[in-house]
Amino acid sequence: MLLEAPEKVVEADIPEPRETGASVIQVTGTGICGTDWKIFTGGIPVTYPLVMGHEIVGELVEGTSRDGAKPGAKVLIDPVLTCGECFHCRHGQSHLCPVGELMGRERNGGFAQFVAVRPENVYALPDGIDLTAAPMMQVLTTCLHASEMARIEPGETVVITGLGVTGQMHIQLAKAAGAGTVIGVSRNPPKRDLALKLGADLAVNHGEEADEAVLSATDGRGADVIIESAGALSVLGEAMDLARIGGRIVPFGIYTANQAELPFYQLYFKELQILNARAAQARHFPASIELVANGKLDITSLLSHRVPFRQLDEAMGLLTRPGLDRMKVVLTYDD
Ligand SMILES: [Zn+2]
Ligand SMILES: [Zn+2]
């Protein structure tokens, strides 16, 4: 499916320009996320026509994977293409490569039946993985990267604000990292219930409820770590209130505003550490696959809608429909 202009997708076969040595993958599922929505509506400028989609899972048809898989293997794609030569690529920060490209944004992506990509961006999936939910493993790599940045120590109290797909992953990652009390914060009761099912010790509403839960879990100190996954600046302000003196905050939601009211004095007085995390590194792919394969991370519970890929328009509509209990929307290709 080709995006020809903002909010205009057409069905078209695209002759895929391929680098020599590229592997070919027949796509079985692609997740839709906020970045795709911003590209779709023109919020993120791109060159048209474009095949969107960067959370891609499929079957290897031609070529191999980073780990030597053969055609027929089920694979997950790392959609970030880096130069391998710049300062960042040479210093273990390839995810920050200034000329790096994202499939589905600077290059054609996964809302198509086939994609071509270098073998080092392809990872074989073990048997037993839920293939429909599997595109979310790309999302998981970014959460894992951020969770590592938080340096969660065993026994610490961790608060996750915002309980969408990434918030629910952060709940599970915090537990897997050995956190003591994990508290999920959301306005949405079904999302709070899901967080409890996925391992949160408490799930509460924003505001007073969150204040009370955090204070009583920490002898009045405040949380050691807050991972802000709602992407709202007002919630980032709430995170600064909930953190203890000397606490850490990971602003995981992506904020595009240039101005906001935040409790800046608390930043100083509490000596808060703000730890940003962008995208993920290659090493987070095998680590994420392992977390899902060994049952430490449930992604299947985060899938709410499967939509045939030709109905991309409707799938995009699901992202903003008010009142809808939506988690991850995945495009499927088996119709
Ligand atoms: Zn995404
Ligand atoms: Zn580079």
Side-chain angles (χ1 to χ4, degrees):
M1 303 294 287
L2 276 181
L3 182 70
E4 289 195 319
E7 304 198 24
K8 187 170 178 236
V9 278
V10 294
E11 196 175 337
D13 273 338
I14 12 125
E16 187 62 52
R18 279 165 54 183
E19 283 177 54
T20 30
S23 296
V24 180
I25 290 96
Q26 179 163 14
V27 181
T28 56
T30 313
I32 303 182
C33 88
T35 300
D36 297 310
W37 171 256
K38 287 175 199 149
I39 294 169
F40 179 69
T41 52
I44 294 176
V46 293
T47 306
Y48 302 105
L50 174 76
V51 181
M52 299 180 289
H54 58 268
E55 302 171 3
I56 313 163
V57 163
E59 185 177 318
L60 192 59
V61 175
E62 214 182 297
T64 183
S65 67
R66 191 182 183 103
D67 30 23
K70 296 200 168 56
K74 301 293 187 289
V75 294
L76 169 69
I77 294 176
D78 174 357
V80 178
L81 302 159
T82 58
C83 80
E85 288 163 9
C86 71
F87 173 88
H88 299 279
C89 283
R90 286 185 287 110
H91 289 82
Q93 297 181 332
S94 56
H95 63 299
L96 302 179
C97 175
V99 291
E101 296 179 318
L102 180 70
M103 291 173 73
R105 193 179 62 200
E106 285 84 24
R107 297 245 196 143
N108 282 338
F111 296 169
Q113 281 176 302
F114 293 92
V115 295
V117 65
R118 321 167 176 166
E120 66 252 42
N121 284 61
V122 181
Y123 293 85
L125 293 174
D127 290 339
I129 297 250
D130 173 355
L131 279 184
T132 314
M136 275 184 276
M137 282 192 275
Q138 187 274 334
V139 185
L140 180 58
T141 62
T142 65
C143 292
L144 181 58
H145 175 47
S147 188
E148 281 180 9
M149 289 286 209
R151 303 188 311 270
I152 296 166
E153 299 281 339
E156 283 192 320
T157 297
V158 179
V159 172
I160 313 294
T161 51
L163 296 174
V165 171
T166 59
Q168 305 284 354
M169 288 180 176
H170 279 302
I171 294 272
Q172 300 178 72
L173 288 169
K175 274 292 171 192
T181 306
V182 175
I183 303 172
V185 182
S186 167
R187 265 174 255 290
N188 183 314
K191 288 182 178 171
R192 294 202 295 262
D193 290 343
L194 181 57
L196 291 170
K197 185 190 141 203
L198 295 176
D201 298 284
L202 292 162
V204 294
N205 202 346
H206 289 273
E208 239 170 78
E209 255 189 49
D211 277 346
E212 281 166 19
V214 170
L215 291 176
S216 74
T218 57
D219 288 332
R221 276 191 310 276
D224 300 299
V225 174
I226 323 266
I227 300 180
E228 202 304 283
S229 302
L233 278 161
S234 60
V235 184
L236 187 58
E238 185 180 16
M240 293 177 187
D241 286 332
L242 294 173
R244 70 162 162 84
I245 290 177
R248 281 115 55 210
I249 296 176
V250 178
F252 184 78
I254 300 168
Y255 318 93
T256 49
N258 292 315
Q259 288 188 333
E261 272 183 37
L262 288 169
F264 288 106
Y265 185 71
Q266 296 212 41
L267 272 181
Y268 157 75
F269 187 78
K270 288 183 167 178
E271 200 180 71
L272 296 175
Q273 297 177 55
I274 307 286
L275 304 155
N276 281 279
R278 189 179 111 197
Q281 297 177 351
R283 67 189 169 85
H284 295 116
F285 279 79
S288 293
I289 292 169
E290 205 181 311
L291 278 167
V292 174
N294 67 19
K296 284 204 175 128
L297 218 128
D298 174 359
I299 49 174
T300 301
S301 299
L302 308 180
L303 177 71
S304 63
H305 294 79
R306 310 162 44 121
V307 182
F309 91 104
R310 287 191 177 80
Q311 293 165 27
L312 182 56
D313 262 327
E314 285 147 62
M316 283 292 174
L318 289 170
L319 266 71
T320 52
R321 207 193 294 169
L324 184 79
D325 191 18
R326 172 186 55 80
M327 295 293 279
K328 178 56 81 180
V329 181
V330 168
L331 293 181
T332 58
Y333 297 76
D334 48 10
D335 56 322

